[in-house]
Amino acid sequence: ACFRLLCSLLIPALFLSGILCVCLVVLLWGIRLWIQQRKKQSTSAGTDGKQPLVVAFFHPYCNAGGGGERVLWCAIRTLQKKYRNVTCVVYTGDRDATGEEIVEGAFRRFNIKLPHPVKFVFLEKRYLVEASLYPHFTLLGQSFGSVFLGWEALLKCVPDIYIDSMGYAFTLPLFKYLGGCRVGCYVHYPTISTDMLSIVRNQDTRFNNAAFITNNPLLSKFKLVYYYFFAFMYGLVGSCSDVIMVNSSWTLNHILSLWRAGACTTVVYPPCDVQTFLDIPLEEKKSTTEYSIVSVSQFRPEKDHPLQIRAFAKLLKEKRLGQQPSLKLILIGGCRNQQDKERVDNLKRLCVELGVSNDVTFRINIPFEELKRHLAEATIGLHTMWNEHFGIGVVECMAAGTIVLAHNSGGPKLDIVVPYEGHITGFLAENEDNYAETMAYILSLSPEKRLEIRENARRSVNRFSDQHFEETFLLSVDPLFK
């Protein structure tokens, strides 16, 4: 009797599910046809009578002025130089600036001049991808928010080729299956990584894994299940991409593991403005009255500035035992908001606690010329972020002629601070003691030996030039234009 009852319920349920699936497929196909019809009505032929190929970049924060934006403008310039019959579109939420102001800002910040105009599509719902809107389940909230933002973008302009250049992978199936576009992406940092899964699994306390979760086994298990579910979803949407570009070997390893689309995935190093720093004259630093150690990074928690200050304090304590040249730590970085300013205040308090406040200088939001001057005068360039996905700041330090001491992980370990033609280009460390010991070792080297390392580092950074980016970018996106 129970079996007959189960069958009598199961068969209608399966039938109903089948009908719903068919209805969903028909609805999605109808939406796709409607979107294609809108596209035909909105496109017009160019001056040569041919319809231009519309290439759209999804970059809601295109006016931010960071490394990701440099990639965007270099990519657009590269396409405009290579293809004549291409119209480049940028989906942006920067409604407080005009298109002309955004292009002017790109030229002022990055010295990138575009050969042809760019069309901007201004989005009204950018708040949907703000982390502050989702105090809990932030990854999931932002990802689903990006789908709604992507839908707004698709309704306003249907491109032929869609490239997500900011890491909103959940928009890829939307443009591919509903928009009928060829889709590609440039991944600066995986939204979730296998490292993040291991942190939660091992109950490690980090800036993105609060102590109250690590101390509660039940909450840790729940978060792990949530992360695995999100990683599965992230893998599904990412694998929709026809072309996948990643910025480093570290990002490549994670994307291959999560998206499993190795055939269409390539490493395209971000374009660093190395030439500007290579113009700084390289010479032996004979002066031994003062050594400066410089750190260049935004004041964000993952950059781990407290580690820099603690390692410097330890170095200073050991150095003061003998008559050594004076040492100075200069922390250079950008403050984006009030939280960043509070972080700087906490760092200053840490300097007071460790008795090094007179030896540590904070330089916030400084002009580019001042940054160049500090790098030209510095002996060591310090970088402490664990699993930095690439490390543009590390490349800039090497190009400027400082001896780099970076974290033994991520992009610096796998791509940047690696031997060049068998010669040392810099140093890596992992903890407070490592950093203090390595800084002491670098300072103990003769000026001639330091010059040799600096020259090796300079020669190695041509791999990260604008020209190299253009070549690898064009090779990677070529399938989208066939």
Side-chain angles (χ1 to χ4, degrees), residues 156-173:
K156 288 185 173 178
C157 174
V158 186
D160 299 293
I161 295 170
Y162 170 80
I163 298 174
D164 163 42
S165 51
M166 236 194 127
Y168 293 107
F170 280 71
T171 62
L172 294 168

Side-chain angles (χ1 to χ4, degrees), residues 87-156:
T87 297
C88 288
V89 173
V90 177
Y91 297 117
T92 178
D94 292 301
R95 293 187 297 146
D96 55 346
T98 64
E100 292 78 11
E101 287 169 344
I102 293 172
V103 171
E104 174 58 34
F107 177 65
R108 194 176 61 252
R109 291 184 190 118
F110 308 120
N111 196 30
I112 295 171
K113 194 163 183 64
L114 301 177
H116 304 292
V118 172
K119 181 184 173 187
F120 289 91
V121 174
F122 291 94
L123 307 175
E124 296 172 18
K125 296 183 176 64
R126 188 175 72 179
Y127 64 88
L128 291 174
V129 296
E130 296 278 357
S132 56
L133 192 64
Y134 312 99
H136 306 292
F137 301 101
T138 310
L139 293 179
L140 202 59
Q142 285 182 290
S143 297
F144 281 117
S146 73
V147 175
F148 289 103
L149 189 64
W151 176 248
E152 182 192 347
L154 186 59
L155 290 183
K156 288 185 173 178

Side-chain angles (χ1 to χ4, degrees), residues 71 196 260 267 366 459:
V71 171
M196 289 165 72
R260 302 183 188 281
V267 176
I366 61 172
R459 282 195 294 272

Side-chain angles (χ1 to χ4, degrees), residues 295-297 301-309 311 381-388 394 405-409 412 429-431 435 439:
S295 157
V296 183
S297 57
E302 65 269 26
K303 297 297 182 182
D304 205 354
H305 287 90
L307 172 57
Q308 297 178 6
I309 294 167
L382 203 55
H383 183 274
T384 47
M385 179 177 169
W386 173 74
N387 267 345
E388 169 77 84
V394 177
L405 174 55
H407 199 281
N408 189 27
S409 62
E430 288 182 22
N431 54 45
Y435 273 97
M439 282 190 282

Side-chain angles (χ1 to χ4, degrees), residues 307 311 314 405 408 428-441:
L307 172 57
K314 185 171 283 251
L405 174 55
N408 189 27
L428 299 166
E430 288 182 22
N431 54 45
E432 193 179 309
D433 289 335
N434 285 164
Y435 273 97
E437 287 163 13
T438 312
M439 282 190 282
Y441 172 72

Side-chain angles (χ1 to χ4, degrees), residues 312-337:
F312 178 71
K314 185 171 283 251
L315 170 71
L316 217 54
K317 190 177 178 183
E318 290 165 5
K319 282 283 172 188
R320 277 185 177 147
L321 298 175
Q323 293 301 310
Q324 299 285 348
S326 65
L327 298 174
K328 198 158 201 66
L329 174 63
I330 304 169
L331 301 178
I332 300 171
C335 272
R336 303 161 299 171
N337 49 41

Side-chain angles (χ1 to χ4, degrees), residues 192-370:
I192 190 165
S193 66
T194 48
D195 288 331
M196 289 165 72
L197 292 169
S198 67
I199 285 169
V200 179
R201 194 187 306 112
N202 299 332
Q203 294 181 247
D204 291 342
T205 303
R206 297 263 177 171
F207 73 93
N208 58 354
N209 196 35
F212 78 89
I213 291 177
T214 59
N215 295 333
N216 187 315
L218 188 64
L219 284 178
S220 286
K221 290 280 189 297
F222 179 77
K223 186 168 183 176
L224 189 61
V225 170
Y226 160 55
Y227 266 23
Y228 271 112
F229 167 73
F230 184 83
F232 171 73
M233 294 287 291
Y234 185 58
L236 276 183
V237 297
S239 61
C240 295
S241 197
D242 301 308
V243 163
I244 302 163
M245 293 167 280
V246 297
N247 67 341
S248 69
S249 302
W250 181 85
T251 308
L252 174 71
N253 294 336
H254 288 285
I255 290 299
L256 289 178
S257 170
L258 293 163
W259 292 11
R260 302 183 188 281
C264 57
T265 307
T266 51
V267 176
V268 178
Y269 290 129
C272 305
D273 192 11
V274 294
Q275 193 55 52
T276 305
F277 293 97
L278 289 171
D279 290 340
I280 297 170
L282 198 61
E283 53 198 31
E284 283 185 34
K285 294 175 182 176
K286 298 287 188 185
S287 171
T288 53
T289 55
E290 183 180 272
Y291 289 122
S292 68
I293 299 164
V294 169
S295 157
V296 183
S297 57
Q298 285 186 320
F299 289 101
R300 302 206 307 260
E302 65 269 26
K303 297 297 182 182
D304 205 354
H305 287 90
L307 172 57
Q308 297 178 6
I309 294 167
R310 287 195 301 269
F312 178 71
K314 185 171 283 251
L315 170 71
L316 217 54
K317 190 177 178 183
E318 290 165 5
K319 282 283 172 188
R320 277 185 177 147
L321 298 175
Q323 293 301 310
Q324 299 285 348
S326 65
L327 298 174
K328 198 158 201 66
L329 174 63
I330 304 169
L331 301 178
I332 300 171
C335 272
R336 303 161 299 171
N337 49 41
Q338 188 57 39
Q339 284 179 313
D340 287 357
K341 288 173 185 168
E342 288 169 9
R343 210 166 280 121
V344 170
D345 290 337
N346 290 335
L347 292 172
K348 287 178 179 176
R349 279 193 283 274
L350 178 62
C351 290
V352 173
E353 285 171 27
L354 297 173
V356 294
S357 52
N358 292 333
D359 306 293
V360 179
T361 305
F362 289 82
R363 303 297 296 130
I364 297 161
N365 298 331
I366 61 172
F368 185 71
E369 287 305 313
E370 188 181 339

